[in-house]
């Protein structure tokens, strides 16, 4: 497919103009603390008013049916403008694609508009104390009762669950359920009776995630996504999105690399060619990710396991880019600020959404065709 | 803009792949390494017949180009099959001559116009093998003993190159000569600009070639890791081996779009910067793939007689050819600041 970059220039200009007029002059407080979470929710609302919160969605749910190219352009402008982080990202990037694939019309109508406006913020509840990389060993249960399901057990590392409104994730339905079989994918309110949430301070102390305890939490049938017992398949249809372009779009890294080049101009020691080379590499890799994004949306076939290649690339780029910025800042590099916040966020990248070790296994076995097992 | 190859471009690449696989390049490489150029020149002719060189020569100079996307497609295959010979140098000369024939300052007045035209036409049809030196970035000419035309751009002067002694490279199929300037063929600021155009085109071709070299090394390593058994199982079952090979793929998969993107930027003010970005990524990715290939193969990969070691050595040699990664990184940063 031929991508006509000039045809999206009017859209780019509209987004740029709106952002220039609306992006807060002083950065919002961190979205990982209560006050910042509320400020970011209000920002989501403002974006939604301009129909810019979910541009690629159908208009009926609050989007504007933007093409994948327009979405990439939106993201470029969004991050170039230094706009606030997306507190709704896990709903928009991880739950919405699952609903588009597996949700009922009633679920789409009920869930998506309030997600688009920031009225409901979603948290992903997948990991458990005994189920991290080995997600299929999860033990939290959903037991069939009249009209729905009762949830019991524990989820953990649930990003933004400290302040979010609803959660979603796979639960084990029935005693015969084993590994990938018999999982059911559910949505539940985080203030439901029987849910206890305990915020967890991440490495910088901010309560960026939480653990969730379920004690006979009732979930009605209408909040099951897809067929009960098919939760693994439903969940896996999300991971392609998570590891592909959507979770961390090229625009984010292009903007960060441009800011890194600016930082180099301010702080450069021309004799420090080692640091200069790292600045060059961060910029080059951000361009590579952009071009790879254009390549990906030009293709008609499913990207499939190749999304694991993206996940390794952007997560390692993010760490390297922020490390370079901190090194450029020298003694100021350890001080609280935007680069440090970005660095702390980047450190989680090689871990979440499937560790990079798991991604390398996926690439080796499913892309390169190396023999399985023998771990 | 097309960020993936169209059907015709894919067919071009597939055709070259088939041609080269049937030609059996390892034997040609070994001949070439021994200074016997006949089989290499025959392969050069076949590739020219398939259009590989005409696409580098401007239409105004009797070629079918410049077609940068087709060019990188072809050079990817040349790298994948480790084809010996000064291909990148020849397309760089084509760019240089094209620049001088099109622009002011060359040709008329220097008495070389007819000669330039004949060289361009010869390059397009595969009859003329060219090499060049672009000091200080590229002080050596490749395979001067096999070339019909050797040039050197020295500042504002284009001179006939007088090659010195041939020196052996890590890649046995590459032999390098210092070049001193002979007769002045053209002079003036246009020569400097033409030299820069030649450098950019050669570096782009070399970047594409590197990605092809790396890809071939990854493929042969995956094959080897699947077949080779130790501890009662294929070594490709071990995660340590898997992760090496996955890393090689990640590097190559992100170098390739930069090469394609640089080809798309031909003629724009960003071309030189984008070529440098592509050359950095391609050099690093191919060299990383080569080191991984060597490690995965173990001792056999360290032998002269095992064919993949020809690719392993080429990856390292091309890493520094057409400007080191450090030189290209510096060019990227200076374009940004």
């Amino acid at each position: 497919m031929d991508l006509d970059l000039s045809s999206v220039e009017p859209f780019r200009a509209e987004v740029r103009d709106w952002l220039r007029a609306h992006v807060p002059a002083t950065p919002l407080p961190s979205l990982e603390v209560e006050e910042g979470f509320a400020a970011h929710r209000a920002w989501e609302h403002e974006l939604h008013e301009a129909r810019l919160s979910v541009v690629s969605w159908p208009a009926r749910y609050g989007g504007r049916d933007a093409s994948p190219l327009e979405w990439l352009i939106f993201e470029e402008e969004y991050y170039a403008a230094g706009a606030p982080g997306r507190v709704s990202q896990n709903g928009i990037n991880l739950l919405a694609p699952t609903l588009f694939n597996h949700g009922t019309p009633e679920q789409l109508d009920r869930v998506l508009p309030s997600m688009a406006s920031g009225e409901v913020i979603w948290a992903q509840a997948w990991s458990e104390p005994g189920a991290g990389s080995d997600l299929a060993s999860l033990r939290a249960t959903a037991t069939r009762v009249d009209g729905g399901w009762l949830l019991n057990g524990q989820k953990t590392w649930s990003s933004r669950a400290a302040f979010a409104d609803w959660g979603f994730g796979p639960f084990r339905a029935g005693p015969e359920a084993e590994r990938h079989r018999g999982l059911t994918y559910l949505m539940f309110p985080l203030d439901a009776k029987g849910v206890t949430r305990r915020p967890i301070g991440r490495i910088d102390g901010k309560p960026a995630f939480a653990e969730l305890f379920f004690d006979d939490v009732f979930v009605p049938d209408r909040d099951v996504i897809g067929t009960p017992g098919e939760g693994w398949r439903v969940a896996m249809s999300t991971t392609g999105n998570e590891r592909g372009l959507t979770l961390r779009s090229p625009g984010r890294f292009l903007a960060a690399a441009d800011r890194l080049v600016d930082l180099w101009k301010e702080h450069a020691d021309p004799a420090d060619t080692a640091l200069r080379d790292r600045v060059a590499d961060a910029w080059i890799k951000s361009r590579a990710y952009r071009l790879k994004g254009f390549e990906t949306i030009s293709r008609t076939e499913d990207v499939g396991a190749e999304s694991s290649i993206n996940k390794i690339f952007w997560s390692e780029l993010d760490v390297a880019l922020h490390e370079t910025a901190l090194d450029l800042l020298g003694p100021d590099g350890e001080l609280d600020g935007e680069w440090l916040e970005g660095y702390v966020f980047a450190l989680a990248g090689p871990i979440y959404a499937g560790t990079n070790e798991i991604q390398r296994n996926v690439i080796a076995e499913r892309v390169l065709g190396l023999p399985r097992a023998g771990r | 803009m097309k960020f993936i190859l169209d059907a015709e471009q894919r067919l071009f690449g597939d055709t070259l792949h088939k041609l080269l696989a049937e030609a059996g390049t390892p034997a040609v490489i070994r001949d070439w390494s021994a200074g016997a150029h006949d089989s290499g020149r025959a392969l050069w002719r076949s590739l020219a017949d398939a259009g590989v060189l005409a696409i580098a020569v401007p239409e105004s100079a009797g070629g079918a180009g410049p077609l940068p996307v087709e060019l990188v497609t072809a050079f990817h295959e040349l790298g994948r099959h480790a084809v010996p010979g000064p291909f990148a140098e020849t397309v760089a000369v084509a760019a240089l001559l094209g620049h001088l024939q099109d622009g002011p300052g060359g040709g008329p007045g220097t008495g070389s116009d007819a000669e330039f035209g004949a060289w361009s036409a010869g390059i397009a049809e595969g009859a003329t093998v060219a090499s060049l030196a672009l000091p200080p970035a590229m002080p050596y000419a490749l395979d001067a003993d096999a070339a019909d035309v050797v040039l050197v751009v020295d500042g504002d002067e284009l001179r006939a190159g007088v090659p010195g002694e041939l020196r052996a490279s890590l890649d046995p199929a590459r032999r390098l000569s210092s070049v001193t300037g002979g007769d002045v063929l053209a002079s003036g600021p246009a020569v400097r600009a033409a030299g820069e155009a030649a450098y950019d085109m050669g570096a782009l071709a070399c970047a594409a070639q590197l990605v092809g070299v790396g890809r071939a090394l990854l493929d042969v390593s995956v094959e080897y890791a699947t077949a080779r058994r130790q501890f009662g199982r294929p070594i490709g079952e071990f995660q340590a081996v898997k992760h090496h090979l996955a890393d090689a793929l990640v590097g190559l998969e992100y170098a390739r779009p930069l090469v394609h993107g640089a080809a798309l930027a031909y003629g724009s003010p960003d071309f030189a910067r984008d070529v440098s970005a592509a050359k950095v990524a391609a050099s690093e990715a191919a060299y990383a793939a080569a080191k991984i290939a060597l490690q995965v193969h173990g001792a056999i990969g360290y032998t002269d007689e095992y064919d993949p070691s020809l690719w392993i050595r080429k990856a390292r040699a091309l890493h520094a050819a057409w400007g080191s990664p450090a030189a290209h990184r510096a060019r990227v940063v200076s374009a940004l600041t």
Side-chain angles (χ1 to χ4, degrees):
Chain A
M1 189 172 73
D2 203 346
L3 296 185
D4 186 357
L5 290 178
S6 58
S7 73
V8 292
E9 283 308 310
F11 174 71
R12 183 194 286 280
E14 183 202 332
V15 171
R16 183 178 294 178
D17 290 348
W18 188 89
L19 289 166
R20 193 175 288 142
H22 292 84
V23 169
T26 49
L28 303 180
S30 168
L31 66 82
E32 311 294 8
V33 300
E34 191 163 11
E35 178 201 3
F37 193 92
H40 282 76
R41 187 198 291 270
W43 168 252
E44 290 292 324
H45 185 70
E46 205 174 336
L47 274 177
H48 177 252
E49 295 280 284
R51 285 203 305 128
L52 289 172
S53 66
V54 285
V55 293
S56 58
W57 288 11
R60 63 178 298 196
Y61 303 123
R64 46 168 87 195
D65 298 286
S67 67
L69 176 60
E70 287 171 325
W71 175 75
L72 285 173
I73 298 304
F74 170 82
E75 292 281 299
E76 287 187 12
E77 291 302 320
Y78 189 86
Y79 288 101
R86 300 298 304 275
V87 71
S88 287
Q89 58 181 290
N90 284 357
I92 292 168
N93 295 325
L94 308 179
L95 177 58
T98 307
L99 287 173
F100 284 123
N101 284 339
H102 300 282
T104 64
E106 185 276 327
Q107 287 172 332
L108 295 172
D109 286 339
R110 177 161 53 93
V111 171
L112 295 179
S114 60
M115 184 190 290
S117 68
E119 187 189 335
V120 175
I121 309 276
W122 290 81
Q124 186 190 40
W126 280 27
S127 296
E128 296 182 9
S133 289
D134 183 13
L135 183 65
S137 69
L138 67 87
R139 289 164 58 190
T141 56
T143 310
R144 191 80 184 113
V145 293
D146 192 26
W149 303 78
L150 280 185
L151 307 186
N152 281 285
Q154 185 184 351
K155 295 283 181 184
T156 192
W157 317 130
S158 181
S159 293
R160 258 138 259 134
F163 311 113
D165 307 296
W166 277 65
F168 59 96
F171 290 77
R172 199 161 289 290
E176 74 286 359
E178 187 189 351
R179 299 287 299 166
H180 311 86
R181 289 180 299 136
L183 301 177
T184 295
Y185 208 65
L186 297 144
M187 304 181 279
F188 49 86
L190 287 165
D191 60 0
K193 184 165 172 291
V195 175
T196 305
R197 56 178 141 181
R198 191 182 73 83
I200 304 172
R202 73 175 178 190
I203 201 167
D204 65 353
K206 292 177 182 137
F209 40 28
E211 54 186 345
L212 303 170
F213 300 90
F214 300 86
D215 183 11
D216 281 343
V217 177
F218 177 74
V219 173
D221 283 328
R222 65 179 195 150
D223 288 331
V224 172
I225 305 172
T227 311
E230 293 288 315
W232 183 261
R233 201 168 57 83
V234 175
M236 287 306 116
S237 74
T238 305
T239 61
N241 295 295
E242 192 174 17
R243 294 167 194 159
L245 292 171
T246 47
L247 184 62
R248 300 285 175 254
S249 73
R252 188 165 178 278
F253 302 98
L254 290 169
D258 285 344
R259 278 195 271 276
L260 182 67
V261 170
D262 290 342
L263 195 67
W264 164 256
K265 287 186 220 166
E266 281 167 41
H267 293 259
D269 170 2
D272 194 343
T273 53
L275 205 44
R276 183 201 65 198
D277 284 356
R278 288 164 61 197
V279 171
D281 278 342
W283 187 87
I284 290 168
K285 287 179 177 179
S286 75
R287 305 294 291 189
Y289 191 35
R290 178 183 203 238
L291 290 162
K292 178 85 170 166
F294 288 149
E295 181 193 292
T296 301
I297 65 167
S298 301
R299 289 166 53 179
T300 45
E301 72 273 22
D302 190 14
V303 175
E306 287 179 43
S307 62
S308 292
I309 301 171
N310 283 351
K311 200 265 161 163
I312 290 173
F313 188 78
W314 62 247
S315 60
E316 295 187 351
L317 164 59
D318 209 18
V319 173
L321 193 158
H322 285 89
E323 280 173 347
T324 306
L326 298 191
D327 285 350
L328 268 170
L329 288 167
D332 289 350
E334 67 177 290
L335 299 178
D336 199 14
E338 278 192 83
W339 282 112
L340 192 67
E341 174 94 14
Y343 170 73
V344 170
F345 189 80
L347 283 183
I351 301 167
Y352 62 68
T355 64
N356 287 8
E357 287 71 24
I358 293 292
Q359 308 300 345
R360 287 181 166 90
N361 290 345
V362 170
I363 292 168
E365 292 170 7
R366 296 193 216 154
V367 182
L368 295 175
L370 286 160
R372 287 185 63 84
R375 299 261 155 90
Chain B
M1 277 193 173
K2 290 192 172 69
F3 292 92
I4 51 174
L5 299 180
D6 64 26
E8 207 173 317
Q9 290 160 340
R10 272 204 310 276
L11 180 65
F12 181 50
D14 291 347
T15 305
L16 296 176
H17 174 53
K18 196 154 166 276
L19 185 159
L20 291 167
E22 280 167 9
T25 48
V28 180
I29 298 166
R30 294 195 190 274
D31 284 351
W32 192 272
S33 304
H37 298 131
D38 289 352
S39 58
R41 286 293 292 241
L43 186 56
W44 187 289
R45 277 283 192 174
S46 318
L47 288 163
D49 290 344
V52 167
L53 291 149
I55 57 178
V57 177
E59 278 186 30
S60 56
L67 293 170
V69 174
E70 283 74 6
L71 189 81
V72 298
T73 304
F75 272 78
H76 185 273
E77 297 306 324
L78 296 183
R80 199 168 160 199
H81 294 275
V83 179
F87 280 92
E89 290 67 21
T90 296
V91 305
V93 168
L96 181 132
L97 297 175
H99 214 84
L100 289 177
Q101 285 166 289
D102 278 351
T110 64
S112 306
D113 201 25
E115 202 170 26
F116 288 178
W119 287 340
S120 290
I123 288 171
E125 67 185 33
T128 303
V129 173
S131 191
L132 87 167
L134 296 167
M138 279 191 28
Y140 302 117
L142 174 67
D143 296 333
D145 58 329
D148 306 302
V149 178
V150 179
L151 302 174
V152 57
V153 177
D154 192 2
D156 279 357
E157 287 182 336
L158 173 66
R159 291 168 177 268
V162 182
E165 189 193 346
L166 286 172
R167 295 173 65 182
S169 155
L170 169 67
D171 177 357
R174 289 169 57 85
R175 286 186 296 171
L176 305 173
S177 313
S178 296
V179 178
T180 47
D183 295 344
V184 175
L185 305 174
S187 60
V191 169
R192 189 181 293 271
E196 283 164 12
Y199 182 72
D200 291 341
M201 197 55 89
L204 176 64
C206 185
Q209 209 176 345
L210 275 158
V211 175
V213 169
R215 185 68 224 195
L217 284 167
L218 175 58
D219 291 343
V220 73
S221 301
V222 167
E223 210 174 290
Y224 184 82
T226 306
R228 169 72 175 165
R229 298 177 71 87
Q230 286 288 271
F231 304 100
R233 63 183 67 171
I235 61 170
E237 272 191 24
F238 294 106
Q239 281 198 55
V241 173
K242 281 182 172 149
H243 289 193
H244 274 325
L245 295 169
D247 283 339
L249 180 68
V250 172
L252 292 166
E253 275 298 291
Y254 278 92
R256 195 175 37 72
L258 285 166
V259 172
H260 188 89
L264 292 176
Y266 178 79
S268 89
D270 295 332
F271 182 56
R273 180 197 73 188
D274 291 355
V275 166
S276 282
K279 180 62 169 63
V280 169
S283 290
E284 301 296 17
Y287 181 49
K291 286 198 289 185
I292 288 165
L294 177 58
Q295 192 65 24
V296 167
H297 279 87
I300 188 74
Y302 189 66
T303 62
D304 180 41
E305 69 178 40
Y306 184 62
D307 287 339
S309 81
L310 296 167
W311 276 252
I312 290 172
R313 286 172 277 179
K314 187 174 289 296
R316 179 65 219 184
L318 294 182
H319 184 262
W322 288 100
S324 66
H328 284 290
R329 285 188 178 101
R331 215 163 71 130
V332 168
V333 170
S334 90
L336 295 173
T337 51

